[in-house]
Amino acid sequence: MLQYILDNYFILLYFIALVLSVIKYRLYYDTVLKYLPIILSYVLMSEILGAIVRDIDDIQLVYIPEYYNYNTIIFNIFDIVFFLYFFYVFYQLSDKPINKIIIKYGSIVFLISCLVNLFYQDFYTQPQNYAIIVGAIILIFACLTYLYKIFTEEQKFVPRRNLLFWISIGLLFFYTYYPISMYILSFNYDLYSMYNITKYHYACISVLYCCFIIGFISMRRLRLPIKQTE
């Protein structure tokens, strides 16, 4: 049991981030991040369900013998939800029309890529690599534009007290790596296994949620009223 917990240590980080998001909710409840605890709850439930499907033979989502323990569909759905949520967040945070346009139409391109990807990879058993690549490019752009904004404009609080600073850093780090690992998993599984890339994947997840945790611990009151935008 202890070894199982150690092998899935990153799930504990999801739980800590979720608890902190609830504890600190009063500091951002009226901002664009007001749905963040729901997203983190969804993250935790997806990981737990994914672990159950992967490790318990009696629970299956794909009724094909060679794929009986595959949980890929859980994370393919998760990716769509996660990407769209943060596209929404950074769209609301953008104050330059060009950035809004790129994120808005980039989101549409992402959804189209999700549909197109269905014709090239099995949604039940394979990561949707082309959609992941498109989504990651848009999200990296959104994170970079937000970080540029907070470092070039006069700030009331130093960036390290800004929850969105830490979220952006974590997302930028993870989504620079994630498309690469999923591409190798899909198209060069021998290489993926040889170098045990799973452990690096888990390490990158840990960095992402450690950034969330640091952000929650160090944050001050966010003053980002929800904008009504078209």
Side-chain angles (χ1 to χ4, degrees):
M1 181 63 180
L2 177 59
Q3 187 59 47
Y4 185 82
I5 294 173
L6 293 175
D7 290 340
N8 297 276
Y9 63 93
F10 55 94
I11 294 180
L12 177 61
L13 297 176
Y14 294 139
F15 179 74
I16 294 172
L18 173 59
V19 171
L20 289 173
S21 74
V22 174
I23 292 173
K24 295 298 186 82
Y25 191 65
R26 61 184 177 81
L27 298 180
Y28 65 92
Y29 73 94
D30 56 348
T31 74
V32 72
L33 290 178
K34 68 177 184 175
Y35 300 115
L36 186 56
I38 297 174
I39 292 297
L40 294 177
S41 298
Y42 176 56
V43 170
L44 181 60
M45 288 188 295
S46 295
E47 282 293 346
I48 292 173
L49 180 58
I52 290 172
V53 172
R54 182 192 64 204
D55 299 329
I56 300 178
D57 293 344
D58 292 335
I59 300 177
Q60 302 176 33
L61 294 177
V62 181
Y63 292 94
I64 303 174
E66 59 267 35
Y67 300 121
Y68 75 94
N69 65 340
Y70 273 42
N71 56 15
T72 311
I73 186 174
I74 296 171
F75 298 105
N76 284 339
I77 296 171
F78 166 82
D79 280 338
I80 296 172
V81 174
F82 200 78
F83 275 126
L84 290 178
Y85 171 73
F86 280 104
F87 293 162
Y88 163 77
V89 168
F90 287 107
Y91 176 81
Q92 296 283 9
L93 293 173
S94 297
D95 52 10
K96 292 185 177 180
I98 184 62
N99 291 342
K100 282 186 173 292
I101 290 171
I102 292 174
I103 295 172
K104 179 178 180 178
Y105 288 100
S107 301
I108 295 172
V109 172
F110 168 71
L111 289 174
I112 293 172
S113 72
C114 290
L115 293 174
V116 172
N117 213 147
L118 296 174
F119 295 96
Y120 293 95
Q121 294 180 291
D122 185 354
F123 192 79
Y124 290 93
T125 62
Q126 294 180 295
Q128 302 295 283
N129 284 278
Y130 306 117
I132 290 171
I133 291 169
V134 172
I137 290 171
I138 299 163
L139 192 53
I140 288 170
F141 167 81
C143 290
L144 287 174
T145 55
Y146 179 72
L147 290 172
Y148 177 80
K149 172 184 173 181
I150 65 174
F151 279 114
T152 55
E153 295 181 357
E154 184 179 351
Q155 297 294 304
K156 185 174 182 178
F157 301 122
V158 292
R160 65 185 176 84
R161 297 288 190 180
N162 182 346
L163 173 60
L164 276 159
F165 166 77
W166 289 104
I167 288 176
S168 299
I169 292 293
L171 292 172
L172 185 61
F173 178 86
F174 180 75
Y175 282 99
T176 299
Y177 163 83
Y178 181 52
I180 298 172
S181 68
M182 291 298 99
Y183 191 88
I184 295 172
L185 173 62
S186 295
F187 300 110
N188 196 338
Y189 186 74
D190 290 340
L191 179 65
Y192 191 90
S193 299
M194 181 187 305
Y195 291 100
N196 193 13
I197 291 178
T198 297
K199 70 179 180 181
Y200 299 109
H201 180 71
Y202 290 166
C204 287
I205 291 174
S206 299
V207 171
L208 170 60
Y209 284 93
C210 280
C211 286
F212 276 58
I213 290 168
I214 293 170
F216 284 123
I217 291 173
S218 62
M219 73 177 294
R220 291 183 180 177
R221 177 77 165 93
L222 277 182
R223 302 191 182 281
L224 302 167
I226 298 176
K227 301 175 184 178
Q228 300 298 322
T229 54
E230 65 282 357

